[in-house]
Amino acid sequence: HIPMTFESGLYVVATPIGNLADMSQRAIDLLNAADLVAVEDSRVTGKLLHHLGIKKKMRRYNDHSGDVERESLVAAARGGVIALVSDAGTPLISDPGYKLVRSARAAGVPVFTIPGASAVTAALSICGLPTDRFLFAGFLPNKAKARAETLTELGQVKATLVFYEAGPRLAASLAAIADIYGDREVAVARELTKKFEEVVTGTAGELAARYAAQEPKGEIVLIIGPPADEVAAETGDVDAALQEALGTMSAAKAAGSIAKRFGLERNAVYARATELKAK
Ligand code: SAM
């Protein structure tokens, strides 16, 4: 492996969310090349660097850091390779970095991504809930009233909802979800990429009972499927599009075109097309 060279700038570097083997080669090369690594917690990143056999100067940084510290990192990135990492996963995703990236961009300092793991996308990719539209909303508020308000507001959104959650709060959150959303399908993705990785699905009520009986350990992503009317609306859209297509082409041609457009089984769409024609 020939290590890459990097031009100067701010590099936002994803690190693993549990399995150290998920560190990308480019992330390793960048950390090796970095003049300075901006970190959330030097103990956590220190362990990762030690595991990789990399010795680097680290500087603590988060979004509460002052303008002076931020400007100093931006200035350093103008003439050097500055890495930004968080404790795990992708920086800025419920983690520090937003203000730093914004400042660097405003100052005309190049900002590069070294992408990799994030618990949001890892959970969505295996939970079996719709992924075509999702809204990631970070952590739900701690207090019951604020949590209910947030859930009510997001209940209008016609998309899969994704939250970060903590074991001790999970059962209460699920109970609130059952209360406000009824029986929308829910998935709890836990300990992703680690030894006890699991995804449990069911209705919010079922899962609230399960986790009230036994508090889950480890790190959790909570995913809520879209509202039922959205699923219906989607089928409605297909019907409308199919009707329109049937106005100008044969059932077979219409089925082919609509199946392709919506990513559906051609045979199923053809069957629906003949049904609609018969009406
Ligand atoms: N920036 C990170 C990312 O891209 O995934 C997330 C940082 S956030 C402060 C940490 C939260 O992410 C945890 O409390 C948990 O909800 C979720 N998380 C992180 N690693 C996880 C894992 N291996 N399995 C499930 N959830 C995880």
Side-chain angles (χ1 to χ4, degrees):
H1 170 72
I2 302 160
M4 306 172 209
T5 52
F6 295 91
E7 59 183 281
S8 54
L10 173 67
Y11 289 77
V12 179
V13 183
T15 58
I17 56 168
N19 189 324
L20 290 177
D22 291 336
M23 189 78 187
S24 76
Q25 188 60 57
R26 199 157 79 96
I28 296 170
D29 286 352
L30 185 280
L31 290 178
N32 264 309
D35 296 303
L36 177 68
V37 185
V39 304
E40 217 186 328
D41 183 330
S42 54
R43 279 161 309 176
V44 176
T45 302
K47 271 188 204 156
L48 175 69
L49 292 178
H50 180 78
H51 167 84
L52 297 169
I54 299 174
K55 268 206 169 137
K56 277 294 148 175
K57 206 158 76 177
M58 289 185 272
R59 191 187 296 175
R60 278 190 74 156
Y61 175 81
N62 61 49
D63 284 326
H64 304 297
S65 299
D67 289 343
V68 176
E69 290 159 73
R70 194 159 27 253
E71 291 315 319
S72 139
L73 283 172
V74 171
R78 207 180 277 288
V81 172
I82 305 302
L84 171 71
V85 303
S86 50
D87 287 353
T90 301
L92 279 84
I93 309 302
S94 288
D95 265 341
Y98 166 68
K99 287 184 183 169
L100 180 62
V101 166
R102 208 171 157 76
S103 300
R105 294 182 61 83
V109 168
V111 181
F112 301 100
T113 178
I114 311 275
S118 182
V120 188
T121 45
L124 277 168
S125 70
I126 58 166
C127 75
L129 290 172
T131 53
D132 53 334
R133 274 185 119 206
F134 65 86
L135 188 147
F136 169 64
F139 290 91
L140 278 167
N142 254 320
K143 299 219 169 86
K145 185 161 174 278
R147 181 177 56 207
E149 279 167 12
T150 300
L151 286 172
T152 303
E153 179 199 329
L154 295 176
Q156 312 293 318
V157 177
K158 296 186 186 318
T160 292
L161 303 178
V162 187
F163 299 97
Y164 285 157
E165 197 36 283
R169 311 190 326 172
L170 180 63
S173 293
L174 286 165
I177 289 162
D179 191 35
I180 296 165
Y181 294 169
D183 55 6
R184 277 167 72 167
E185 199 181 344
V186 169
V188 172
R190 205 168 61 83
E191 292 289 90
L192 299 170
T193 75
K194 304 185 209 177
K195 189 167 176 202
F196 296 108
E197 171 175 308
E198 70 169 9
V199 176
V200 178
T201 56
T203 65
E206 284 163 10
L207 296 191
R210 174 186 174 129
Y211 291 112
Q214 185 163 24
E215 187 183 298
K217 290 198 171 68
E219 299 193 283
I220 293 161
V221 182
L222 172 58
I223 303 145
I224 308 170
D229 60 339
E230 172 60 6
V231 179
E234 266 173 25
T235 22
D237 281 353
V238 174
D239 275 358
L242 199 50
Q243 286 281 21
E244 204 183 302
L246 284 170
T248 59
M249 52 184 108
S250 70
K253 275 231 165 102
S257 138
I258 299 303
K260 203 168 162 198
R261 192 157 121 208
F262 288 85
L264 299 168
E265 266 303 295
R266 194 189 163 282
N267 286 345
V269 179
Y270 182 72
R272 184 69 184 146
T274 45
E275 263 177 55
L276 288 176
K277 266 187 107 169
K279 271 190 193 167

